[in-house]
Amino acid sequence: MTSVLVVEDDPAIRASLIELLAGHQMVVRSSPDGFGALREVAQWQPDAVVLDLGLPDLDGADALKMIRGLSQVPVLVATARDDDAEIIKLLNAGADDYLVKPFSGGQLLARLTAVLRRCTSPARTFSPGGGVPGAGPGPLVLGELRIDPLARTVHLAGREIGLTRREFDLLSFLALNADRVISKRQLLAEVWRQTYVDEQTVDVHLSCLRRKLGERAARPRFLHTVRGVGVKLVSPR
């Protein structure tokens, strides 16, 4: 059964979320504060987290960053904040999706199911051009860059590079479509599975990848931007 941690300080909302999720055959635990949520994530290791931002001890955005320091568990943010800049900040900080309060139980279940479908398999990879989880190919090698989809590791010139889950998925998708120009809209649809997220999210992750690959946009080695079209991953000749 799917296990979900609900982090919500309002007792009435917390109780209704627990009832909703438990009624759909999910194992549910809850915490009214951020530090309690961190303990649950570390000790219980849930399959997903529903995270409210208005917590009494920690701002939810700070709690999200701390959760990301512990785990790559899928996090669905439940927030009353509908400012675009704030939502982009949360997605860049590691949120997998968000819901703006008030929302219906049906919306929560649909978003949670989608997040779990995208994120729960530790060995998920992408079919070339399709972005569909599959059994996973062998390691992808482009020059000195080696990507292992099953182990979810990346090595450059024999040295392992530490990537976040989203950075790994982005790099893997580009590698599976090597030498093809991929638009940011397509990356949002295939990697994020969200077309309503601002394209700046892709820019931020590409910038982080470039830094970890030891290159700059002005002097690319692997990640080449095609102005006005998109980005492609090329094997250095």
Side-chain angles (χ1 to χ4, degrees), residues 71-220:
S71 171
Q72 290 301 309
V73 61
V75 177
L76 174 61
V77 170
T79 175
R81 308 172 192 177
D82 59 357
D83 178 69
D84 280 350
E86 179 70 15
I87 290 170
I88 291 170
K89 179 181 176 182
L90 290 167
L91 292 168
N92 289 337
D96 292 279
D97 203 349
Y98 68 92
L99 273 172
V100 177
K101 294 180 177 178
F103 51 79
S104 68
Q107 285 180 305
L108 174 65
L109 288 169
R111 292 291 183 88
L112 186 58
T113 299
V115 164
L116 285 164
R117 185 170 60 243
R118 292 195 305 266
C119 302
T120 52
S121 173
R124 68 192 173 101
T125 57
F126 299 93
S127 298
V132 179
L140 304 167
V141 180
L142 295 93
E144 294 183 317
L145 184 65
R146 185 179 188 274
I147 304 168
D148 189 332
L150 294 178
R152 292 184 69 82
T153 57
V154 176
H155 288 79
L156 179 60
R159 180 178 61 87
E160 184 169 358
I161 300 173
L163 300 182
T164 66
R165 178 170 52 78
R166 191 76 77 187
E167 289 168 353
F168 181 89
D169 290 345
L170 176 59
L171 184 63
S172 295
F173 183 78
L174 290 170
L176 284 164
N177 292 276
D179 297 316
R180 289 180 54 195
V181 180
I182 308 296
S183 71
K184 294 177 185 177
R185 285 285 104 188
Q186 185 178 356
L187 289 173
L188 287 173
E190 302 288 1
V191 179
W192 275 259
R193 298 293 180 90
Q194 301 169 354
T195 56
Y196 54 83
V197 179
D198 195 287
E199 291 184 4
Q200 181 185 349
T201 300
V202 178
D203 292 331
V204 170
H205 284 78
L206 286 172
S207 177
C208 291
L209 273 178
R210 284 193 173 98
R211 185 175 68 251
K212 292 180 179 182
L213 292 173
E215 63 181 51
R216 295 181 292 112
R219 298 187 63 183

Side-chain angles (χ1 to χ4, degrees), residues 1-2 4-8 10-31 50 103-106 108-109 112:
M1 297 176 68
T2 300
V4 181
L5 174 64
V6 172
V7 187
E8 170 62 62
D10 186 299
I13 296 176
R14 188 167 66 249
S16 66
L17 291 177
I18 292 171
E19 181 180 5
L20 171 71
L21 298 173
H24 284 77
Q25 288 73 54
M26 297 183 187
V27 179
V28 187
R29 289 191 186 181
S30 67
S31 173
V50 177
F103 51 79
S104 68
L108 174 65
L109 288 169
L112 186 58

